[in-house]
Each structure stands twice: as structure tokens, then as C-alpha cells.
Amino acid sequence: EIGNLTNLFFFGLSYNQLTGEIPSEIGNLTNIGSLIDLSYNQLTGEIPSEIGTLTNLIYLYLSWNELSGQIPPEIGNMTNLTGLGLLSNQLTGEIPTEIGNLINLVDLSLSYNQLTGEIPPEIGNLTNIDELKLSYNQFTGEIPPEIGNLVNLTFVWLDSNQLTGEIPATIGNLTNLTVLSLYNNQLI
């Protein structure tokens, strides 16, 4: 019973052959103080909204699975997160605006999914972020000018989407950038 493991500091089961869904009882692990890493497995189903109760968590890595459905808006309750890795799944829908609550994020990895809609302007709240990985999705609309608030960015991957419009002038604020990848869009 995963819900009985209430005093774990670290919950790492990456690179196994785990299958099935992430149980909603994961929300009972409210005392986890560091990391949940379930990457590189074969997990399916949706990310349970109960994960938003893990407000002490610093890292959440669910990448390289077969997770589907939307990113639950409750993820915005996890304000201590510095790393959020959901890349290479089958996630759909839009990035929830609540992502802007994660002001301690340093790494946001959502590439290689089927996410749609516009990149929310609330992304401009993530002023500590160093790496922003949103490539290989189906994002539309313009790059929000609020991206210029993210002055700590060194890596930005927005390539292989359906982004349109001009590159915002505020990109010039990102003086620490070493990688800016915008190819395979419809930018003018």
C-alpha cells in the first residue's frame, strides 16, 4: 500500500519496468521532502490530481512513461518544486495557468508530448528558471512576451511546435542564454 509510506524522504523507482497507473494514494505521501522519480517506466493513465498535496516536494520526475490526459492544475500547489519533468509521455491539453505558481522552478521539461494551446503568459512568473523545454508539442499562438522576465534562462527549447507571429523583443532580456531553439515553427 503506497499510501502507508508516509515518512519517506526519497521515492525513486526510475529505470524499472513499472506498469499501470499512478495510484491516487500517492497524495498520502505528504511528508516526502525531496524527490519522487518514476521516470523511464511504462506507467499509463493520468497524473492523479492528488499529487498536488505533495507541497514539500522539491523534484517530480515522471518522464519517459506513457502517461496521458492533462497536466492537473493542482500541480500549481507544489510551490517548493525546483524540478518538474514530464517529458516524453502522451500528455494532452494546455499547460495549466497554475504553472505560474511554481516560482522556485529551475527546470521545466514538458517536451515530447501532445500539449496544445498557447504557452500561458503566467510562465513569466518563473523567474528562477534556468531550463525551459517545451519542444515537440503542438503549441500554437505567439511566444508570450513575458518570457523576457526569465532572465536566468540559459536553455530554451520551443522548437517543433506550431508557434506563429514574431519573436518577442523581450527575448533580448535573456542575456544568460546559451541555447535558443525555435526551429520548425511558423514564426515570421
Side-chain angles (χ1 to χ4, degrees):
E1 244 338 279
I2 193 172
N4 294 332
L5 304 175
T6 56
N7 292 313
L8 284 178
F9 181 73
F10 170 93
F11 186 67
L13 290 170
S14 59
Y15 292 97
N16 279 285
Q17 297 177 9
L18 298 177
T19 59
E21 298 185 2
I22 299 171
S24 60
E25 289 82 7
I26 199 165
N28 296 341
L29 302 178
T30 54
N31 291 330
I32 285 188
S34 180
L35 168 78
I36 290 181
D37 188 354
L38 297 172
S39 300
Y40 294 95
N41 282 292
Q42 292 139 31
L43 298 172
T44 56
E46 298 186 1
I47 299 170
S49 60
E50 291 82 359
I51 208 156
T53 64
L54 306 181
T55 56
N56 293 325
L57 207 60
I58 297 172
Y59 303 102
L60 176 62
Y61 297 119
L62 303 176
S63 299
W64 302 98
N65 279 290
E66 299 167 21
L67 298 170
S68 58
Q70 299 187 1
I71 299 170
E74 292 82 1
I75 233 160
N77 298 335
M78 305 172 76
T79 55
N80 288 315
L81 280 182
T82 61
L84 177 59
L86 303 177
L87 68 99
S88 197
N89 279 289
Q90 298 163 18
L91 299 172
T92 56
E94 300 183 2
I95 297 176
T97 58
E98 292 82 358
I99 206 95
N101 298 341
L102 305 181
I103 59 171
N104 292 307
L105 270 187
V106 175
D107 178 12
L108 177 61
S109 300
L110 303 178
S111 297
Y112 295 95
N113 278 290
Q114 299 162 24
L115 297 170
T116 57
E118 297 188 2
I119 298 170
E122 289 81 2
I123 211 136
N125 297 346
L126 309 180
T127 55
N128 290 310
I129 200 162
D130 176 62
E131 295 190 35
L132 179 63
K133 303 170 195 151
L134 303 179
S135 57
Y136 289 92
N137 279 289
Q138 298 165 22
F139 293 119
T140 56
E142 298 185 359
I143 299 170
E146 291 82 359
I147 200 167
N149 298 344
L150 310 181
V151 295
N152 292 313
L153 276 175
T154 57
F155 300 98
V156 176
W157 284 276
L158 300 177
D159 57 90
S160 302
N161 281 290
Q162 299 166 25
L163 298 170
T164 56
E166 296 183 359
I167 298 170
T170 57
I171 288 268
N173 298 344
L174 308 181
T175 56
N176 292 314
L177 271 186
T178 58
V179 173
L180 175 61
S181 183
L182 301 175
Y183 70 90
N184 198 22
N185 278 291
Q186 298 163 26
L187 301 168
I188 55 172

